């Protein structure tokens, strides 16, 4: 058959091995935010580490808001709500940020 290969069972085990993809780095992102994102991405792909990933995604969001809007105060919820109420964050982005929070 053209285009097909026939493999016979000759006592070998064939495994597909896919190397891990390194985290994507965003340009000009402050190191503390990038570090949190890197840790989140690493944990996200590890078995049973979803909670650790979620914590680091939250930390990245918190640090990003602090970096971009140091004037906002209060809890992360209050910061997101304040930025949404002031139309700094569009509604959809605020909803997404609350999901991460």
């Amino acid at each position: 058959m053209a285009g097909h290969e026939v493999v016979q069972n000759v006592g070998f085990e064939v495994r597909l091995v896919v190397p891990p993809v390194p985290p994507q780095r965003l340009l000009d992102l402050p190191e503390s935010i990038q570090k949190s994102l890197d840790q989140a991405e690493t944990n996200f792909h590890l078995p049973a580490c979803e909670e650790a990933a979620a914590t680091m995604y939250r930390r990245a969001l918190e640090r990003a808001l602090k970096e971009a809007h140091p004037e906002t105060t209060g809890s992360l919820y209050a910061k997101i709500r304040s930025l949404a109420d002031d139309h700094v964050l569009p509604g959809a982005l605020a909803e997404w940020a609350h999901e991460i929070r």
Side-chain angles (χ1 to χ4, degrees):
M1 298 170 114
H4 296 311
E5 293 184 37
V6 177
V7 178
Q8 296 178 351
N9 184 354
V10 291
F12 292 101
E13 181 177 327
V14 178
R15 292 184 185 198
L16 175 63
V17 178
V18 179
V21 177
Q24 296 293 319
R25 296 190 64 88
L26 300 174
L27 297 176
D28 300 322
L29 195 60
E31 187 59 33
S32 67
I33 300 168
Q34 185 65 57
K35 183 178 178 182
S36 296
L37 282 176
D38 289 347
Q39 290 179 18
E41 288 293 299
T42 297
N43 282 288
F44 183 76
H45 297 289
L46 295 175
C49 290
E50 299 85 7
E51 289 178 14
T55 299
M56 296 314 295
Y57 283 124
R58 183 186 193 286
R59 180 176 290 169
L61 173 63
E62 201 164 28
R63 288 179 174 178
L65 289 179
K66 183 176 183 178
E67 176 77 21
H69 298 281
E71 74 282 359
T72 59
T73 59
S75 67
L76 183 55
Y77 175 86
K79 289 177 183 181
I80 295 167
R81 183 169 183 157
S82 174
L83 292 170
D85 289 347
D86 293 344
H87 303 288
V88 174
L89 287 179
L93 189 55
E95 288 178 30
W96 174 78
H98 279 304
E99 287 296 316
I100 293 172
R101 177 188 57 80

